[in-house]
Amino acid sequence: MWERRTSVYSYEILWRAAHSALQMAEIQDSRVRPDHLSIHSTLTGFLAFEGFVNLVGAQIAPNIWSQERDFFSRGQFRGILGKVDYLFTLFSGTLDKGIEPYQTVRRIKQTRDHLAHNRVHSYGEITEDKNPSFRTKWDDFDTPEKVLPALQRLK
């Protein structure tokens, strides 16, 4: 007879997956799309961040997290950024949202929202320049060089 007890923390799996995607983006192969893997890494890293915030919240504020959907769906502490803000008030009372790493967390969240709540973005131009003049909502995280520092701040 076997008895096993273990805990699986999804945020750890997601964090490793984010770094695996980033490592794969560095492979020099015509079949590898560094931009796709970079976006994958960014989104997966953000999912890991959300999972960790929920783990911490459930540990230090179990009464609030037991009614998480209601508490964080309205009022002052909405969504994942509201959760971060709420947790921060338990420790020091204020969160400086104008500096890093909060600014990176906010930018990744915005990118996640733009991709998850997809809208068609139509562009057009005629130019001799090989590179387009338009920007997408995810340009800030479309290369490994952009994603790695963002993941480090997210951590």
Side-chain angles (χ1 to χ4, degrees), residues 135-149:
R135 284 184 42 86
T136 65
K137 302 286 187 178
W138 51 88
D139 280 354
D140 288 344
F141 304 107
D142 65 353
T143 67
E145 296 78 24
K146 295 175 184 175
V147 174
L148 184 58

Side-chain angles (χ1 to χ4, degrees), residues 37-56:
L37 289 165
S38 296
I39 293 297
H40 170 82
S41 178
T42 302
L43 296 176
T44 306
F46 192 75
L47 290 173
F49 174 77
E50 288 186 89
F52 184 74
V53 167
N54 284 324
L55 174 76
V56 170

Side-chain angles (χ1 to χ4, degrees), residues 106-132:
R106 187 187 58 73
R107 283 184 21 249
I108 293 173
K109 162 94 170 57
Q110 287 175 334
T111 299
R112 176 249 175 246
D113 290 349
H114 286 297
L115 289 166
H117 307 288
N118 189 14
R119 301 287 186 266
V120 173
H121 301 281
S122 299
Y123 304 95
E125 72 179 351
I126 298 172
T127 180
E128 298 291 324
D129 193 348
K130 177 179 160 187
N131 297 311

Side-chain angles (χ1 to χ4, degrees), residues 10 15 26 30 35-36 41 56-57 65 70 123 144:
S10 62
W15 191 249
E26 302 273 351
S30 62
D35 54 340
H36 291 182
S41 178
V56 170
W65 255 258
D70 289 335
Y123 304 95

Side-chain angles (χ1 to χ4, degrees), residues 5-137:
R5 295 173 191 239
T6 188
S7 298
V8 176
Y9 298 103
S10 62
Y11 77 89
E12 291 178 341
I13 294 165
L14 291 166
W15 191 249
R16 287 192 296 267
H19 283 279
S20 293
L22 203 56
Q23 289 173 345
M24 290 173 62
E26 302 273 351
I27 295 172
Q28 300 297 314
D29 187 305
S30 62
R31 296 170 292 179
V32 173
R33 288 290 307 261
D35 54 340
H36 291 182
L37 289 165
S38 296
I39 293 297
H40 170 82
S41 178
T42 302
L43 296 176
T44 306
F46 192 75
L47 290 173
F49 174 77
E50 288 186 89
F52 184 74
V53 167
N54 284 324
L55 174 76
V56 170
Q59 293 295 312
I60 66 171
N63 292 338
I64 297 297
W65 255 258
S66 69
Q67 53 185 334
E68 168 191 2
R69 285 192 190 265
D70 289 335
F71 188 84
F72 294 109
S73 65
R74 58 181 162 254
Q76 177 183 356
F77 302 110
R78 292 184 57 125
I80 185 63
L81 297 180
K83 290 177 180 182
V84 171
D85 198 10
Y86 178 79
L87 289 172
F88 209 88
T89 64
L90 299 177
F91 297 111
S92 69
T94 60
L95 173 61
D96 189 344
K97 297 177 182 179
I99 62 171
E100 292 294 354
Y102 187 88
Q103 286 297 305
T104 295
V105 171
R106 187 187 58 73
R107 283 184 21 249
I108 293 173
K109 162 94 170 57
Q110 287 175 334
T111 299
R112 176 249 175 246
D113 290 349
H114 286 297
L115 289 166
H117 307 288
N118 189 14
R119 301 287 186 266
V120 173
H121 301 281
S122 299
Y123 304 95
E125 72 179 351
I126 298 172
T127 180
E128 298 291 324
D129 193 348
K130 177 179 160 187
N131 297 311
S133 62
F134 58 84
R135 284 184 42 86
T136 65
K137 302 286 187 178

